[in-house]
Amino acid sequence: MLAPGDIPAYLILGYNATRDVMQSNSRVVCDSRRGRVFQEGRIPADHPLAPMTAYQPVVAFEDGVPHARLRSAVVEGLDFNRHSLRRYIGRYANRLIDCVASRGTADLVSEYAAQLPALVLAWMYGMPEEESPALVTAVRDLTSGSERAAEGNAFVTRAMQELVRRRQAGETVSNAVGGRDFVTRLLDHEAHLSEQEVVEHLRLVFVAGYTPTVALIANTLLGILTQRQFSRDLTSGQMTLPEALNRVLWDDPPIGLLPTRWAAGDMVIGGQQIKAGDMIILGIEAANADPAARQSGPVPHNEGHLSFSTGPHECPGRDIGRAIAEAGIDILLTRLKDLELLVAEEELQWQSAWVSRRLLSLPVRFTPPRPTGVRARQPEMETATADAGAGTPAGAPGQWAVEGTSHDPRRRTGRSRLRR
């Protein structure tokens, strides 16, 4: 196949072959400096593939001992207290819902799914909330595979450099537990990361944490609103919310292609001869759909999907992404009743980037909640509200019911309604 910019690559589609490549730490490597197209200078700094494939001193592009050193800093830096994480997810989820609740309508992508992960990541980074919207726009450009990719990458990098500069200058952080935000944890880690390594990992984690989480929230909400059996399984208690997320990770993974592997030597994969230095792209969506990995039908209890990768480069922030999606969806469905898609499913708009497909909008109507007073903005009150919203067990039986308008033969509009 040809990647953007007419770069030749081998696309791996089968589940077993993709998993074997992910688990390899010798035959297939992540260091793109060993890639022939980089050695031949075919991917310059302004190339659309550069932000996602050009070597940087980060865990995603290292192998062996250097990889282990960097991964330890990232994994330990992301080890946030689960109760605190859930509390802040609830705080921001409730705040976003407050902005739309009285209207009775909302766009669950632009007004919720696209904002919640950014606010949580901003808290983890000790970053002012008002800085996250510009970062979100830059991240989307960075992963687009278009001419905007290099500019987006530069913006994100500058933002992370500024964060590091402020911490090194002694700036204190008030919105992270004990002031130990992710930036500080990387700077102080015993692995002794260089300033460049810290900046690049801040960039990597923000991009890798934001984009898939937005897609996971949006795709799950879409399934709840448009797939009758999916909603029925969830509302009847036959499937918990974590299992619903797992099903989406199988059927509609947030990242469809992973373009960061290179052949370390001549080899054969799936009967195809591959030479040293060839670029290898992993087809995660195709691998998840491979009959060799699953029986026909839903797989809510099987966590063998490859959406978070596997092996030495398994996503270190997978639990955080799932926590944001699970709590965010749980709180949304608890607070907003009678959710109904405003347009036919086939009218929904998508944007295709070369590694993924993004739902751009999910317009819904709902019954506005009965006013219970103004939600205070003080941290203590926000925390209490978040805990109250997060207290409903995720996926508990009987939380929601579905009115089957989308499957009513008299109304073929593709709409569906979700109610308490």
Side-chain angles (χ1 to χ4, degrees):
M1 68 167 288
L2 291 178
D6 293 331
I7 299 300
Y10 286 96
L11 176 62
I12 310 299
L13 299 175
Y15 179 87
N16 291 329
T18 301
R19 183 188 59 188
D20 290 345
V21 169
M22 288 178 170
Q23 293 178 340
S24 171
N25 58 7
S26 57
R27 296 177 66 236
V28 179
V29 296
C30 293
D31 187 346
S32 57
R33 293 174 297 185
R34 300 178 67 173
R36 188 179 306 110
V37 291
F38 279 99
Q39 294 171 352
E40 295 172 353
R42 297 181 61 182
I43 301 183
D46 60 349
H47 192 280
L49 290 186
M52 296 188 68
T53 62
Y55 172 83
Q56 296 121 27
V58 296
V59 64
F61 292 94
E62 295 284 11
D63 303 283
V65 174
H67 168 263
R69 166 181 165 265
L70 296 174
R71 186 175 176 85
S72 67
V74 173
V75 170
E76 293 171 23
L78 290 175
D79 187 20
F80 284 83
N81 178 276
R82 292 186 180 183
H83 176 73
S84 296
L85 178 63
R86 173 82 186 207
R87 187 175 71 233
Y88 277 89
I89 296 170
R91 172 184 297 186
Y92 297 128
N94 279 306
R95 184 184 299 176
L96 292 172
I97 294 169
D98 285 345
C99 292
V100 302
S102 62
R103 293 203 320 245
T105 62
D107 184 337
L108 295 185
V109 173
S110 65
E111 295 183 294
Y112 195 70
Q115 295 195 44
L116 181 59
L119 290 168
V120 176
L121 285 166
W123 163 71
M124 291 170 54
Y125 278 51
M127 179 188 302
E129 294 173 12
E130 60 270 18
E131 295 182 9
S132 64
L135 265 179
V136 166
T137 300
V139 167
R140 290 186 173 183
D141 289 344
L142 187 159
T143 57
S144 66
S146 70
E147 67 279 358
R148 302 188 306 274
E151 182 180 351
N153 183 57
F155 184 93
V156 176
T157 300
R158 288 195 300 270
M160 300 310 162
Q161 288 172 335
E162 176 62 17
L163 268 181
V164 170
R165 185 196 67 77
R166 291 180 347 215
R167 294 298 181 279
Q168 291 175 329
E171 179 189 64
T172 58
V173 179
S174 60
N175 65 334
V177 178
R180 298 286 297 171
D181 58 276
F182 185 51
V183 183
T184 304
R185 294 179 184 194
L186 289 183
L187 286 169
D188 295 345
H189 195 270
E190 60 184 9
H192 302 297
L193 274 62
S194 68
E195 181 175 329
Q196 183 186 7
E197 288 174 334
V198 172
V199 168
E200 294 295 349
H201 279 94
L202 293 174
R203 183 189 68 88
L204 173 69
V205 171
F206 198 98
V207 173
Y210 174 78
T211 304
T213 306
V214 173
L216 180 56
I217 295 172
N219 293 346
T220 304
L221 290 172
L222 176 62
I224 291 171
L225 287 165
T226 61
Q227 299 176 30
R228 186 174 185 178
Q229 189 61 52
F230 186 84
S231 298
R232 180 181 295 166
D233 289 346
L234 183 60
T235 58
S236 68
Q238 297 183 51
M239 178 176 65
T240 65
L241 185 50
E243 289 169 346
L245 293 173
N246 190 60
R247 185 181 295 188
V248 172
L249 289 167
W250 269 104
D251 296 339
D252 197 6
I255 301 296
L257 298 177
L258 188 62
T260 55
R261 298 295 193 276
W262 310 87
D266 295 348
M267 67 188 71
V268 176
I269 299 180
Q272 178 67 50
Q273 181 67 47
I274 297 178
K275 295 184 178 181
D278 283 344
M279 184 178 185
I280 297 174
I281 296 177
L282 303 180
I284 295 175
E285 185 172 5
N288 282 352
D290 189 344
R294 55 189 291 181
Q295 299 177 345
S296 60
V299 286
H301 305 292
N302 183 344
E303 296 191 7
H305 62 78
L306 302 178
S307 297
F308 292 118
S309 189
T310 185
H313 286 273
E314 182 178 35
C315 176
R318 60 180 297 170
D319 291 341
I320 292 176
R322 289 193 64 144
I324 295 172
E326 180 182 339
I329 294 172
D330 180 26
I331 295 168
L332 179 77
L333 297 180
T334 299
R335 290 196 57 193
L336 301 185
K337 312 299 189 296
D338 302 309
L339 281 170
E340 180 182 2
L341 193 60
L342 278 175
V343 300
E345 183 179 356
E346 57 268 22
E347 296 177 15
L348 293 173
Q349 295 185 346
W350 297 78
Q351 180 185 58
S352 294
W354 80 286
V355 298
S356 63
R357 192 171 72 115
R358 302 166 180 162
L359 181 62
L360 296 180
S361 180
L362 192 60
V364 297
R365 67 165 60 97
F366 51 86
T367 301
R370 182 177 302 174
T372 57
V374 178
R375 189 179 302 276
R377 297 296 299 273
Q378 288 80 7
E380 295 79 10
M381 292 301 294
E382 286 183 351
T383 299
T385 302
D387 288 339
T392 306
Q399 279 188 313
W400 314 292
V402 177
E403 295 183 4
T405 56
S406 62
H407 304 282
D408 186 337
R410 297 167 298 176
R411 295 183 61 193
R412 298 186 179 275
T413 64
R415 299 177 184 173
S416 61
R417 182 180 299 148
L418 196 70
R419 64 180 177 82
R420 179 84 171 187

